[in-house]
């Protein structure tokens, strides 16, 4: 964008630094009545409640409506079981549900961490080496639109179907693109005045990266991470649909459905939703923690 | 201009008399799109003695910032020569011969006030305890004691500017380059900061090149006021101000007749009174 241009550009706005658009809306709308009743302890607890409560309330309302619809229209379980049926199954298979969530969650976590670290490192390289930048950016843009989970069966044969590695690799590839693209955008946001300042201090390029470029990109990295955290869970589950180990949520969903145990399949879907929420919530908390020191 | 330009070869005995800045027929042409060019500076010559306070004044776009950036080696002159303490501008930058404050404060938003002030010290490997001791002094100097652990976006524009000034002083530079550092300040803070600056500079013996749009500010602070005109940017007059050493410049001076004479002389030079005088003397 305004790189190489002196004077006020987009990034010059006031005293702040550019905030990625997607980050702005998080945790903004708390229904007033609800939060007043539930929020007591001040400070961090309040922030937690504020970010967790609204989706929770919406979820409960949705479940009530669902139960009502299933009862009123007498919908058959193979079409849509009622929430109480599903809850019954959740209790019945609880231990197995928990271990499947852990297995899938671990795959998603490992893929997310490895892919994320790789994405940030490569974005750093790309932001400093123009040639590399030209090579890798179109590649990643391509990667972002390819349905990577389609690779799962191939990876299964590559790494052997008794290993968790194929799933972790799928997750790694899937999370790479959003984190890489957002990080790189953040790294390119350096304000001209900061560049001048570091030049005036005769700072090395590593010092520039460490004290200006990378800290400036942190909000962008978190935007990427937030998108990637949901993708990580989804791809870890979907990767299991293509065979291999039978230890995760995805494989339990397919086998339950194959046995016409629909409420049980839904119980595992419920586990998948919880897992997704946990990943999203943890990234959100990390982001809060990182930005607390800024303003 | 009385200080003769000396070469570095004159030896240690004369080291003190090497000009802080020596600009000789410097020009700067910016290449803009499709071969068009902007002549931002044309044949500018200026010598600043050690410890001397020189202001640059002139209409917007006359190349004040550009001249400052050439001295700071943030841009390269397209013609002429610029020496800082007898070295090339580039070498002087690498040797950290100057401190700089920009028009937009340029603080790092993720660092506290204190950490911002410590930045240059940190980059140049000064130890932690020494850093925070120095920052402490500077924070007190610019009157931000209660704000040391705040972040820039919790400060007013004027406070941010004061942090930037403290940062520019952190390494006790022998030369300060300041581009409208008081532009964002209210009149009262501005006058207080002017007095602080003039005191600090005369106490530390630092030379200053100070860009401003305010005639009274230039007169109050300076030993000499350099008046510039645009298209192409040139020096059209240099007004000597004789208001005594910085340590003795106080609020009362603003009502002094010598002060008003200085203001008048600069204003005339700015508005291009007939035969813009080089080196108007005011006594
Ligand atoms: N990077 C650049 N590329 C092209 N032209 C430039 C660049 N920087 C400055 N100029 C031009 O050089 C001229 C002088 O600019 P400069 O910023 O030095 O003015 P100034 O005297 O500092 O003005 P102001 O008082 O408004 O800050 C202007 O005409 C400007 O358009
Ligand atoms: Mg300017």
């Amino acid at each position: 964008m305004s790189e190489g241009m002196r004077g006020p550009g987009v990034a010059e706005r006031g005293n702040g630094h550019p905030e990625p658009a997607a980050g702005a809306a998080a945790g903004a709308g708390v229904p007033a009545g609800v939060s007043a009743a539930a929020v007591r302890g001040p400070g961090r607890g309040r922030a937690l409640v504020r970010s967790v409560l609204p989706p929770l309330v919406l979820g409960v309302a949705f479940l009530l409506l669902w139960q009502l619809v299933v009862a009123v229209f007498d919908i058959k379980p193979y079409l849509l079981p009622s929430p109480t049926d599903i809850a019954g199954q959740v209790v019945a298979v609880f231990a197995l549900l928990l271990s499947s969530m852990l297995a899938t969650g671990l795959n998603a976590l490992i893929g997310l961490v490895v892919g994320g670290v790789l994405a940030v490192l490569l974005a750093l390289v790309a932001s400093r080496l123009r040639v590399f930048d030209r090579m890798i950016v179109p590649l990643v843009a391509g990667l972002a639109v390819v349905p990577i989970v389609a690779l799962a069966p191939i990876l299964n044969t590559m790494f052997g179907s008794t290993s968790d590695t194929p799933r972790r690799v799928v997750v790694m590839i899937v999370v790479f693109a959003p984190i890489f693209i957002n990080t790189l955008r953040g790294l390119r946001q350096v304000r001209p005045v900061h560049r001048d300042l570091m030049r005036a201090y005769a700072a090395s390029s590593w010092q520039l990266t460490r004290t200006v470029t990378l800290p400036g990109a942190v909000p962008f990295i978190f935007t990427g991470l937030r998108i990637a955290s949901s993708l990580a869970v989804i791809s870890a589950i979907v990767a299991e649909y293509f065979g291999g180990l039978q230890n995760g949520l995805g494989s339990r969903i397919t086998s339950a459905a194959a046995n016409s145990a629909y409420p049980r399949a839904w119980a595992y879907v419920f586990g998948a939703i919880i897992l997704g929420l946990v990943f999203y919530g943890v990234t959100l908390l990390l982001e809060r923690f990182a930005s607390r020191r800024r303003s | 201009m009385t200080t003769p330009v000396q070469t570095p070869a004159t030896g240690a005995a004369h080291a003190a008399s090497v000009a802080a800045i020596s600009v000789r027929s410097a020009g700067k042409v910016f290449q803009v799109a499709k071969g068009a060019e902007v002549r931002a500076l044309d044949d500018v010559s200026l010598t600043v003695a050690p410890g001397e306070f020189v202001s640059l004044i002139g209409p917007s776009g006359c190349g004040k910032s550009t001249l400052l950036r050439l001295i700071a080696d943030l841009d390269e002159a397209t013609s002429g020569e610029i020496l800082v303490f007898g070295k090339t501008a580039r070498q002087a930058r690498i040797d950290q011969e100057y401190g700089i404050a920009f028009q937009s404060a340029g603080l790092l938003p993720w660092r506290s006030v204190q950490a911002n002030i410590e930045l240059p010290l940190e980059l140049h490997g000064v130890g932690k305890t020494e850093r925070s001791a120095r920052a402490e002094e500077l924070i007190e100097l610019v009157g931000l004691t209660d704000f040391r652990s705040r972040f820039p976006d919790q400060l007013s524009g004027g406070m941010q500017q004061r942090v930037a000034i403290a940062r520019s002083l952190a390494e006790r530079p022998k030369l300060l380059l300041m581009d409208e550092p008081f532009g964002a300040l209210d009149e009262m803070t501005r006058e207080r900061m002017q007095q602080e600056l003039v005191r600090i500079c005369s106490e530390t013996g630092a030379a200053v090149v100070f860009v401003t749009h305010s005639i009274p500010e230039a007169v109050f602070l300076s030993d000499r006021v350099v008046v510039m005109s645009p298209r192409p940017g040139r020096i059209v007059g240099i007004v000597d101000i004789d208001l005594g050493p910085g340590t003795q410049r106080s609020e009362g001076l603003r009502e002094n007749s010598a002060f008003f004479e200085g203001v008048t002389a600069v204003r005339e030079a700015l508005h291009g009174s007939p035969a813009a005088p080089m080196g108007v003397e005011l006594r």
Side-chain angles (χ1 to χ4, degrees):
Chain A
M1 36 162 300
S2 70
E3 207 145 28
M5 213 175 78
R6 276 184 52 209
V10 182
E12 200 74 15
R13 169 161 49 89
N15 40 36
H17 60 118
E19 198 65 43
V30 183
V34 176
S35 66
V39 175
R40 223 170 299 124
R44 241 184 312 167
R46 194 192 208 97
L48 183 72
V49 168
R50 275 177 47 140
S51 58
V52 171
L53 206 58
L56 212 64
V57 169
L58 190 71
V60 169
F62 177 73
L63 287 178
L64 286 176
L65 187 73
W66 178 352
Q67 182 79 33
L68 206 70
V69 167
V70 171
V72 168
F73 296 100
D74 191 24
I75 296 176
K76 297 281 168 286
Y78 68 88
L79 282 177
L80 186 66
S82 73
T84 42
D85 284 352
I86 297 171
Q89 279 302 310
V90 167
V91 174
V93 297
F94 193 71
L96 210 54
L97 177 63
L98 216 60
S99 75
S100 329
M101 279 171 73
L102 275 177
T104 303
L106 192 65
N107 288 343
L109 183 67
I110 289 175
L112 182 63
V113 169
V114 174
V117 168
L118 220 64
V120 171
L121 287 180
L122 284 180
L124 268 174
V125 176
S127 75
R128 284 176 54 176
L129 294 180
R130 192 157 284 238
V131 195
F132 185 67
D133 188 33
R134 292 235 179 91
M135 278 168 13
I136 199 169
V137 170
L139 216 69
V140 174
L143 196 71
V145 297
V146 171
I148 295 301
V149 280
L151 266 182
I154 297 164
L155 290 170
N156 271 341
T157 17
M158 269 172 75
F159 292 98
S161 53
T162 54
S163 148
D164 274 314
T165 313
R167 289 142 191 201
R168 292 172 185 171
V169 171
V170 167
V171 173
M172 210 181 80
I173 300 173
V174 168
V175 300
F176 182 84
I179 299 180
F180 177 87
I181 290 168
N182 275 284
T183 305
L184 191 58
R185 186 187 304 161
L187 292 172
R188 286 177 176 155
Q189 295 282 330
V190 181
R191 287 175 56 191
V193 65
H194 290 156
R195 214 180 273 282
D196 284 346
L197 189 72
M198 295 305 273
R199 181 173 157 91
Y201 291 145
S204 67
S205 82
W206 168 238
Q207 284 178 322
L208 176 70
T209 303
R210 194 168 49 82
T211 52
V212 175
T213 322
L214 203 51
V218 165
F220 292 83
I221 297 176
F222 273 108
T223 302
L225 192 62
R226 211 166 51 220
I227 300 166
S229 69
S230 312
L231 286 179
V233 175
I234 295 169
S235 51
I237 293 168
V238 175
E240 293 175 19
Y241 290 171
F242 299 93
L245 279 180
Q246 294 293 305
N247 60 347
L249 289 169
S251 31
R252 304 245 186 264
I253 292 169
T254 38
S255 73
N259 290 317
S260 304
Y262 297 107
R264 181 144 52 95
W266 277 89
Y268 288 114
V269 170
F270 170 77
I273 293 170
I274 297 297
L275 192 61
L277 283 177
V278 166
F279 267 67
Y280 185 80
V282 169
T283 2
L284 214 62
L285 281 182
L286 279 177
E287 185 174 4
R288 290 267 161 89
F289 180 74
S291 64
R292 204 178 43 156
R293 287 159 28 94
R294 292 151 188 267
S295 57
Chain B
M1 285 189 259
T2 49
T3 318
V5 177
Q6 309 223 339
T7 55
T10 42
H14 295 276
S17 58
V18 170
I21 298 172
S22 157
V23 178
R24 273 179 266 172
S25 336
K28 175 70 187 173
V29 178
F30 285 107
Q31 304 291 338
V32 287
K34 298 209 176 69
E37 38 187 52
V38 177
R39 282 168 68 200
L41 283 179
D42 192 47
D43 194 25
V44 167
S45 295
L46 177 70
T47 306
V48 177
E52 190 183 20
F53 201 119
V54 171
S55 289
L56 304 181
I57 198 167
S60 188
C62 70
K64 306 180 293 293
S65 298
T66 304
L67 180 53
L68 208 69
R69 292 175 61 84
L70 294 187
I71 297 168
D73 188 42
L74 297 176
D75 276 325
E76 227 176 308
T78 33
S79 60
E81 182 187 42
I82 295 175
L83 297 179
V84 177
F85 294 112
K87 309 169 184 177
T88 60
R90 182 179 152 71
Q91 191 58 46
R93 173 176 64 80
I94 290 166
D95 293 351
Q96 293 297 294
E97 297 283 4
Y98 66 81
I100 192 162
F102 298 98
Q103 183 166 5
S104 61
L107 304 178
L108 299 179
W110 49 85
R111 284 181 165 239
S112 67
V113 165
Q114 169 148 9
N116 262 290
I117 294 174
E118 287 181 15
L119 175 69
L121 301 168
E122 191 183 315
L123 290 174
H124 301 135
V126 176
K128 207 175 173 100
T129 45
E130 201 181 331
R131 255 170 20 213
S132 64
R134 180 67 181 142
E136 198 82 4
E137 280 172 39
L138 290 161
I139 287 169
E140 198 165 320
L141 178 74
V142 295
L144 290 174
T145 316
D146 296 338
F147 296 88
R148 74 160 63 86
S149 43
R150 296 285 191 87
F151 287 84
D153 52 8
Q154 300 171 310
L155 303 180
S156 72
M159 288 167 157
Q160 292 182 30
Q161 203 52 262
R162 283 189 266 164
V163 177
I165 291 165
R167 182 178 62 185
S168 73
L169 294 169
E171 296 184 285
R172 299 189 176 84
K174 289 310 230 179
L175 172 62
L176 269 173
L177 304 176
M178 308 185 111
D179 195 347
E180 298 185 48
F182 301 157
L185 303 186
D186 66 278
E187 199 57 29
M188 272 167 54
T189 314
R190 189 172 182 144
E191 291 190 352
R192 221 197 78 230
M193 289 302 296
Q194 288 170 4
Q195 190 152 2
E196 283 300 322
L197 181 65
V198 90
R199 182 181 64 75
I200 294 161
C201 294
S202 53
E203 277 175 14
T204 59
V208 186
V209 178
F210 188 92
V211 174
T212 178
H213 277 132
S214 157
I215 299 174
E217 177 168 278
V219 173
F220 182 80
L221 293 171
S222 310
D223 298 313
R224 282 188 297 153
V225 178
V226 173
V227 179
M228 299 179 66
S229 80
R231 274 171 294 277
R234 283 174 303 123
I235 294 179
V236 292
I238 295 180
V239 180
D240 286 329
I241 308 290
D242 193 13
L243 293 176
T247 37
Q248 284 157 33
R249 297 196 184 189
S250 61
E251 285 310 302
L253 193 68
R254 295 183 199 275
E255 270 110 64
N256 186 320
S257 67
F259 177 75
F260 287 120
E261 280 171 45
V263 169
T264 310
V266 173
R267 181 169 293 133
E268 278 171 4
L270 253 179
H271 295 305
S273 66
M278 282 291 279
V280 181
E281 288 292 319
L282 286 168
R283 272 170 231 276

